[in-house]
């Protein structure tokens, strides 16, 4: 037995390495095992599908027809089957799908499938319909094209996920994210085999769900932007059709100002309240001894924020009814209660709450929060829901089935973390979003190499979630904020840990980006639209040459800068149309340029040199052209210095190329001087930074430094 197991592991490694070397494949996430053979199955207008299954599941047939039509649109071949049904059972169809049983998307579902393509046919087999849904997505990514037309390469794939919880959190409270936009994101999640939408539906800035029992929640707690119950149900169904469950989050006891706009009696202080950020609340309710806050950590630790009153029995009666109402809309067995970032200051301001704590022998507001979480845990149990909370819920008395959602970077030196995921997992099931925050603008490779997922798989670590908070994302730019980077997270959660080649990730990620935009997201098209807005309808050519190599500043520096601007009050409606709001977090131009520099420095390849040279000349000359666009355009003031610096950096790069040619790169004074200048150009300026400075420095030093494994978040 042991020998067989060992052999399996060996073979498995071989397959994975093989898979990484297959640079023609566009699969993302990469399957667990694959063997690529020679030859192909040619896709023609006669492409047909049959189903060998005794299941009458409409979700399954809808998914098959969606895939079939997507392929029909992709190839333009005008396929002949109008609608594939259980009656289509022919053995001789082009694609035969065989499943044994029907399954609904649940966390414990078997999601495995196998896919074989030979020159005569394509076969997709799965133990159940959910596995088949995953396999259909693989098939959709497998197509390719040559001068003879479209084809699937001959291949054998055996696939199943590494983690059972592969989520994406979308915050619909800060900037409201529309119903249609949510659907598009569900389509994208399905494409990369994610299976949980964690929907952050309430926060200080907005209550985004219609309650029929407590209508003042959405009426007073939002600016009119909320989901009706019909929309919520439709979205849950839309997700289910794609093998995705929806877990709602109603954040409490903090992050809850919007609840109190309609129901101030639930809060620890009398109010009145209206939806708005913590910073806004502070401005409107200044206290003499509030310390000055200059960082996110300060805000969390020192700013008072409206909070539920855990000593008020009416709160639990209210929440009992509310949870019951929501449980009827969200059938998944989980509800997320947030419970993050409550510093207890508001509780300490209320003498009745302080007296209650004394009376019940509570030493600190942490004890009171623990009590609150326990009460909500039991309310959720009553409604057959399991509690999930951010890691602040963690303590040694937390019920063993409550799920702890890790988010705070361990050892960050600013915000106290509950502990490492692996330690928390010795007591409770754990979800990890630490290192997966998309709103901190990290390049995809940072998420991909998230050290939290390097460890041996622990069954109590259920998986993880990418997290998109929306202080700086709205309906226009959110697709480009989440995608394609969430694809790196999806692969980390689905594929074996051994699949870790960053260059190959980027190759496939940019292909995914194009595919998602083509399928209806705006991850690329919003960028182009927004550039036209910035040039007031004039040509975007020269602006784009610059913005293609700009990326947003990493971490929460942008958030801190905006939060403390005297003019900034409402995140809910702030327009997100500045350069920093629209540029890609991963610049494709940078990745290509980096690749060329890598080739050139190691081989002195003439073709790479010529391409580097022409790119540098383009950047050098662009600033002059851009001056015309900058004239009288105040909105572009933020990038004028970058334009000058890119031109100057490119000039240094050209100089360096000349020196390398003459074997003169050892001029150490020159190298030091130019590198120092380039370092300055590489610094963030306003809310963006030039992404290609490390590669130009490499031309100067003759050495391409590895990219940092991570960047500071705070
Ligand atoms: C969080 O980011 N406060 C969960």
């Amino acid at each position: 037995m042991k020998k067989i197991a060992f052999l399996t592991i060996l073979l498995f490694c071989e397959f994975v390495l093989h898979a990484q070397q297959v640079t023609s494949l566009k699969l993302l996430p990469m399957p667990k095992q694959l063997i690529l053979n020679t030859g192909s199955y040619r896709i023609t207008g006669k492409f047909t599908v049959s189903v060998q299954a005794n299941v009458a599941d409409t979700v399954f047939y809808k998914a098959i027809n969606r895939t079939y039509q997507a392929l029909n649109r992709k190839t333009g071949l005008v396929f002949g089957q109008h609608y594939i049904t259980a009656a289509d059972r022919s053995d001789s169809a082009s694609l035969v799908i065989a499943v044994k049983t029907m399954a609904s998307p649940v966390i414990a579902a078997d999601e495995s499938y196998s896919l074989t393509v030979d020159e005569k046919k394509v076969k997709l087999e799965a133990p159940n319909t959910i596995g088949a849904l995953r396999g259909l997505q693989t098939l959709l990514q497998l197509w390719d094209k040559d001068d003879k037309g479209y084809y699937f390469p001959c291949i054998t794939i055996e696939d199943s996920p590494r983690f059972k919880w592969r989520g994406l959190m979308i915050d619909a409270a800060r900037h409201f994210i529309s119903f249609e936009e949510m659907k598009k994101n569900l389509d994208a999640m399905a494409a990369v085999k994610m299976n949980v939408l964690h929907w952050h539906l309430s926060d200080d800035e907005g209550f985004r769900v219609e309650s029929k029992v407590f209508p003042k929640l959405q009426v007073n707690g939002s600016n009119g932007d909320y989901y009706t119950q019909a929309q919520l149900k439709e979205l849950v169904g839309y997700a289910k059709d794609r093998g995705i469950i929806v877990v709602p989050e109603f954040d409490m006891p903090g992050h809850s100002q919007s609840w109190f706009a309609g129901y101030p009696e639930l809060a620890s202080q009398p109010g009145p309240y209206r939806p708005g950020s913590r910073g806004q609340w502070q401005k409107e309710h200044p206290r003499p001894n509030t310390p000055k806050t200059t960082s996110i950590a300060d805000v969390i630790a020192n700013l008072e924020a409206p909070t539920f009153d855990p000593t008020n029995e009416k709160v639990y009666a209210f929440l009992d009814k509310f949870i019951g109402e929501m449980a009827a809309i969200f059938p998944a067995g989980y509800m997320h209660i947030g419970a993050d970032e409550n510093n207890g200051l508001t509780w300490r301001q209320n003498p009745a709450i302080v007296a209650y704590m004394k009376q019940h022998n509570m030493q600190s507001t942490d004890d009171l929060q623990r009590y609150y979480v326990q009460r909500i845990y039991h309310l959720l149990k009553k409604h057959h829901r399991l509690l999930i909370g951010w890691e602040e819920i963690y303590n040694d008395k937390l019920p063993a089935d409550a799920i702890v959602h890790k988010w705070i970077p361990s050892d960050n030196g600013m915000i106290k973390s509950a502990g490492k995921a692996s330690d928390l997992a010795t007591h409770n099931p754990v979800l990890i979003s630490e290192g997966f925050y998309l709103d901190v603008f990290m390049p995809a490779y940072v998420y991909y190499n998230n050290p939290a997922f390097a460890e041996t798989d622990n069954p109590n670590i259920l998986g993880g979630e990418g997290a998109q908070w929306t202080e700086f994302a709205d309906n226009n730019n959110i697709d480009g904020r989440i995608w394609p980077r969430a694809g790196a997270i999806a692969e980390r959660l689905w594929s074996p840990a051994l699949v870790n080649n960053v260059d190959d990730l980027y190759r496939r990620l940019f292909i995914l980006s194009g595919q998602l935009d083509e399928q209806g997201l705006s991850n690329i098209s919003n960028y182009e639209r927004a550039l036209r807005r910035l040039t007031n309808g004039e040509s975007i050519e020269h602006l784009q040459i610059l913005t293609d190599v700009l990326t947003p500043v990493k971490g929460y520096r942008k958030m801190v800068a905006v939060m403390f601007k005297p003019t900034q009050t409402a995140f809910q409606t702030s327009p997100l149309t500045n350069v920093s709001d629209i540029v890609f977090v991963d610049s494709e131009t940078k990745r290509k340029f980096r690749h060329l520099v890598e080739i050139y420095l190691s081989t002195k390849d003439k073709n790479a040199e010529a391409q580097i040279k022409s790119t540098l000349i383009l950047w050098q000359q662009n600033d002059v052209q851009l001056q015309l666009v900058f004239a009288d355009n105040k909105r572009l003031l933020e990038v004028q210095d970058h334009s000058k610096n890119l031109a100057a950096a490119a000039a240094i790069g050209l100089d360096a190329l000349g020196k390398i040619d003459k074997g003169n790169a050892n001029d150490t004074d020159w190298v030091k001087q130019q590198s120092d200048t380039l370092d300055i150009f590489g610094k963030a300026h306003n809310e963006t930074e030039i992404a290609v400075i490390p590669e130009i420095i490499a031309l100067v030093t003759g050495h391409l430094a590895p990219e940092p494994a991570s960047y500071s978040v705070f």
Side-chain angles (χ1 to χ4, degrees), residues 169 174 200 249 251 255 300 336 338 340-341 390-392 405 407-408 437 469 556:
M169 190 224 66
R174 269 46 179 264
H200 185 81
E249 179 185 345
D251 209 340
H255 283 281
I300 296 170
H336 203 304
D340 53 320
E341 300 182 333
W390 296 106
E391 68 182 277
E392 287 93 327
H405 195 162
W407 71 276
I408 301 173
Y437 268 33
W469 302 100
Y556 279 127

Side-chain angles (χ1 to χ4, degrees), residues 431-508:
L431 289 173
I432 304 180
S433 285
E434 173 188 8
F436 276 172
Y437 268 33
L438 292 159
D439 65 321
V440 294
F441 309 110
M442 298 295 158
Y445 78 83
V446 174
Y447 303 102
Y448 200 51
N449 292 334
N450 187 342
F453 291 92
E455 298 168 22
T456 324
D457 298 346
N458 172 341
N460 232 12
I461 293 182
L462 305 178
E465 293 184 355
Q468 180 62 52
W469 302 100
T470 53
E471 283 89 347
F472 299 112
D474 65 5
N475 282 323
N476 294 311
N477 72 347
I478 193 165
D479 292 349
R481 285 295 170 250
I482 297 177
W483 305 102
R485 292 180 304 144
I489 294 174
E491 178 153 288
R492 184 47 56 243
L493 294 171
W494 177 281
S495 307
L498 281 163
V499 178
N500 61 6
N501 181 318
V502 166
D503 287 341
D504 197 55
L505 168 77
Y506 275 113
R507 179 185 66 79
R508 291 173 292 124

Side-chain angles (χ1 to χ4, degrees), residues 250-298:
F250 298 101
D251 209 340
M252 57 178 96
H255 283 281
S256 49
Q257 193 173 173
S258 64
W259 297 72
F260 310 142
Y263 301 93
E265 63 275 19
L266 304 176
S268 306
Q269 305 287 343
Y273 297 94
R274 65 184 169 99
S277 71
R278 227 176 238 223
Q280 188 178 345
W281 171 263
Q282 201 59 43
K283 269 183 214 142
E284 290 168 6
H285 302 81
R287 284 189 188 269
N289 347 335
T290 302
K292 194 166 158 39
T293 44
T294 53
S295 71
I296 293 288
D298 270 352

